[in-house]
Amino acid sequence: MQPMRRESPYPMVPVDEAQRIITAHATPLGVEVGNSLNAEGRVLAEDIVANTPLPDVPKSAVDGYALRADDGLAARRVVGELTAGGSGQVIVVPGTAARIMTGAPLPSGADAVVMVEQTEEHDGIMRLQQALRAGDSVHTVGQDIASGDLVLAAGTVLGPAEIGLLATIGRVQVRLYRRPVVAVLATGDEVYEPDSAIGPGGIRDSNRYALLAAARAAGCDTISLGIARDDAQVQRQAILDGLVKADVLLTSGGVSMGTRDLIKPLLAELGTVHFGRIAFKPGKPTTFATIGDKLAFGLPGFPVSSLVSFEVFVCPALRRLQGDARPERPMVRVVLAHTVVASPDRPEYQRAIVGWEQRRLMAHSTGAQGSSRLLSLRGANALLLVPGDGRTYAPGTELDALLTGPLQ
Ligand code: AMP
Ligand code: MG
């Protein structure tokens, strides 16, 4: 039997230093050309500049009549009809007007459009109720996008509006950052597949599935490496297999002080461990290593610790790897709805549900904050940053919180 170590050989690094170390190693993986039209969630790797204006010609912004504003309230003879995409051609001379539909190019001679609702037409003569000014209801050249406009900057995450913009300017092929491939390995002799029979003391593998889902939600492709027994050979082989295919390796469990906690020495043997402990709760033993140009995170076994560590340390790195110019979650100031008791020695990221109530952001605790109690993450959309000062924070106190999901 091996003696148990009493103290970790790894110094405890503060949260911001751990984040700095990770950031220094999380540079974008590379760029590929892809179809922009179904690239939602991807990050653009080039500035997109419009090379034609939108609209390209002056167009009618309403259904009505194109006319000359100078003619004032005089009745107009209707000289034709113009539809969007149609081929009709007319010239509007003084005293005339042309029926025009929304999106149809303004005919030559006309400088304004009157809405059909403000007109009458009988026997080819149109009358209007109010005089117009030149430019009324005309959609001018470049009004929506001017030629030379920076439409989207590199580093932008593509959503529905951005895809619409790329479609409208005809940019179907764009340069996109590559999505990271993330491999996730669970460890532990007591850990079982969720759908298999488990023996006494066994525990179902929630971490691997939660981490795979979290990595996908962060925009990554994922590989599941299964569950490795607490055996150095087995875990080494699983890690090596994962690194062949993946850019990032996540392990769960095996990073604490137990005699079967083998991940830290394995990462040190295969690469460089940059830190092995963080002054942080929950998730003190979170470990970060690089193996060649790959990143490896040894996440703690307790389910809350592993997911909170993912959120605080891994997620921003995964976003950086895919070029996201704003990889951090938004930080907001919230008002406590409940008493919060701080840890005496480490800053704690407590799970909370934040909502907009009486014109302020209120934070409701998710209940007991034990690191094995996954229920403390259910519905949580925020991590409250509770300083490690041992104080009791009364309801009504303000604290910073990291918003991890939409407001409730
Ligand atoms: P460890 O860090 O390996 O000592 O694990 C700490 C605690 O987390 C133990 O109670 C484990 O049973 C539990 N645990 C480890 N891996 C998992 C997992 N994949 N899913 C759920 N719980 C786990
Ligand atoms: Mg274990």
Side-chain angles (χ1 to χ4, degrees):
M1 247 194 299
Q2 280 205 336
M4 281 188 78
R5 266 207 301 254
R6 295 284 170 264
E7 239 176 87
S8 168
Y10 290 96
M12 190 102 89
V13 301
V15 169
D16 56 353
E17 191 184 333
Q19 288 169 326
R20 263 200 308 278
I21 294 169
I22 296 168
T23 299
H25 290 92
T27 44
L29 291 171
V31 168
E32 60 197 10
V33 173
N35 187 318
S36 68
L37 303 181
N38 55 8
E40 58 272 20
R42 299 286 304 266
V43 183
L44 201 57
E46 60 176 320
D47 288 343
I48 303 287
V49 174
N51 51 25
T52 51
L54 187 75
D56 58 337
V57 294
K59 290 182 169 181
S60 177
V62 296
D63 297 319
Y65 294 85
L67 43 68
R68 301 166 71 104
D70 264 2
D71 289 346
L73 284 171
R76 314 306 208 266
R77 189 165 50 84
V78 177
V79 292
E81 180 169 299
L82 300 162
T83 58
S87 53
Q89 292 236 334
V90 295
I91 297 175
V92 173
V93 296
T96 69
R99 287 185 189 158
I100 191 165
M101 307 306 139
T102 307
L106 203 67
S108 69
D111 60 8
V113 180
V114 58
M115 288 171 78
V116 67
E117 292 91 330
Q118 295 170 358
T119 64
E120 281 172 24
E121 182 186 334
H122 297 290
D123 302 328
I125 302 295
M126 186 275 289
R127 289 187 168 78
L128 64 171
Q129 295 147 10
Q130 278 186 336
L132 300 184
R133 279 183 309 211
D136 281 356
S137 296
V138 176
H139 203 175
T140 55
V141 171
Q143 184 177 329
D144 294 336
I145 301 175
S147 184
D149 267 359
L150 176 65
V151 174
L152 295 170
T156 299
V157 180
L158 300 180
E162 290 72 25
I163 288 176
L165 277 167
L166 291 166
T168 206
I169 65 167
R171 282 300 305 270
V172 174
Q173 297 290 313
V174 290
R175 288 161 66 79
L176 300 165
Y177 285 106
R178 190 160 79 66
R179 282 148 48 96
V181 178
V182 177
V184 183
L185 174 71
T187 69
D189 289 339
E190 80 286 27
V191 179
Y192 290 82
E193 280 293 349
D195 59 358
S196 70
I198 58 174
I203 187 157
R204 295 191 183 88
D205 180 5
S206 59
N207 291 351
R208 182 164 41 106
Y209 292 101
L211 291 169
L212 287 165
R216 285 193 295 269
C220 303
D221 286 327
T222 55
I223 297 172
S224 172
L225 300 174
I227 304 165
R229 288 189 289 119
D230 286 324
D231 174 294
Q233 273 291 64
V234 172
Q235 292 186 4
R236 182 187 295 107
Q237 197 51 54
I239 290 173
L240 290 172
D241 289 348
L243 288 171
V244 171
K245 304 170 217 148
D247 305 297
V248 179
L249 171 79
L250 306 182
T251 63
S252 130
V255 284
S256 301
M257 296 289 289
T259 54
R260 294 303 189 87
D261 288 334
L262 307 166
I263 291 292
K264 281 182 166 111
L266 277 174
L267 294 178
E269 172 199 320
L270 297 171
T272 306
V273 172
H274 299 283
F275 59 78
R277 278 197 308 163
I278 309 176
F280 163 77
K281 192 178 173 184
K284 179 170 71 173
T286 296
T287 299
F288 172 61
T290 44
I291 302 173
D293 58 355
K294 316 261 168 133
L295 310 188
F297 294 87
L299 299 177
F302 279 122
V304 176
S305 310
S306 88
L307 265 187
V308 173
S309 297
F310 177 93
E311 183 56 59
V312 177
F313 301 104
V314 183
C315 190
L318 297 180
R319 300 296 312 170
R320 277 179 210 287
L321 290 178
Q322 59 198 289
D324 189 345
R326 300 188 58 195
E328 310 292 350
R329 300 281 201 186
M331 187 81 87
V332 292
R333 194 78 177 155
V334 298
V335 179
L336 300 183
H338 305 281
T339 300
V340 165
V341 180
S343 148
D345 56 347
R346 277 175 289 154
E348 184 175 8
Y349 285 60
Q350 291 200 9
R351 283 70 72 202
I353 299 172
V354 169
W356 182 244
E357 293 165 32
Q358 287 150 6
R359 307 185 66 78
R360 52 198 195 155
L361 292 173
M362 293 294 294
H364 298 263
S365 170
T366 53
Q369 298 288 305
S371 52
S372 60
R373 186 174 171 266
L374 256 188
L375 281 173
S376 75
L377 272 165
R378 181 181 56 185
N381 61 352
L383 293 171
L384 275 180
L385 273 58
V386 184
D389 56 10
R391 281 176 52 191
T392 297
Y393 289 89
T397 312
E398 287 192 359
L399 283 180
D400 288 345
L402 214 51
L403 266 192
T404 55
L407 290 179
Q408 296 298 304

